[in-house]
């Protein structure tokens, strides 16, 4: 089963892409040419942080120094640890130009 995901950015751009069942969110984004800033891939640095605006997800591991309990309650996620469980929308507080999108990325 695939889920449809939207990434919205501070500059108003939105990118849509499919995510396979049980796939890590950042892996799906990268497979679709969307390179969210990333450092550790271990749930510790919070470089890949975003916020879920709609949909269901789980997170494999999030260090409490990367995201506080309050951050988690506000829907903040680490894309390197997130697995979507439904269609979902995520917001990132930076411009889409930081994502090194390829020509084939479906940006609207």
């Amino acid at each position: 089963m695939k889920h449809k995901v939207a990434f919205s950015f501070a500059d108003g751009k939105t990118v849509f892409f499919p995510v396979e069942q049980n796939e890590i969110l950042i892996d799906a984004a990268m497979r679709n040419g969307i390179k969210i800033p990333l450092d550790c891939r271990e749930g510790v640095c919070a470089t890949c942080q975003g916020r879920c605006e709609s949909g269901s997800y789980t997170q494999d591991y999030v260090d409490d120094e990367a995201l506080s309990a309050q951050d988690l309650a506000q829907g903040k996620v680490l894309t390197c640890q997130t697995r979507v469980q439904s269609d979902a929308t995520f917001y990132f507080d930076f411009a889409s130009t930081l994502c090194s999108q390829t020509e084939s990325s479906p940006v609207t």
Side-chain angles (χ1 to χ4, degrees), residues 37-49 63 65-66 78 80:
L38 178 66
D39 193 17
C40 74
R41 289 191 70 98
E42 296 176 3
V44 177
C45 73
T47 303
C48 64
Q49 178 182 194
D63 189 89
E65 289 187 26
L78 301 180
C80 71

Side-chain angles (χ1 to χ4, degrees), residues 79-93:
T79 60
C80 71
Q81 299 296 308
T82 300
R83 297 177 191 271
V84 295
Q85 306 298 310
S86 69
D87 292 351
T89 303
F90 295 88
Y91 174 78
F92 297 90
D93 195 21

Side-chain angles (χ1 to χ4, degrees), residues 52-64:
C52 184
E53 295 190 324
S54 69
S56 325
Y57 62 89
T58 60
Q59 294 192 87
D60 291 351
Y61 172 78
V62 176
D63 189 89
D64 58 0

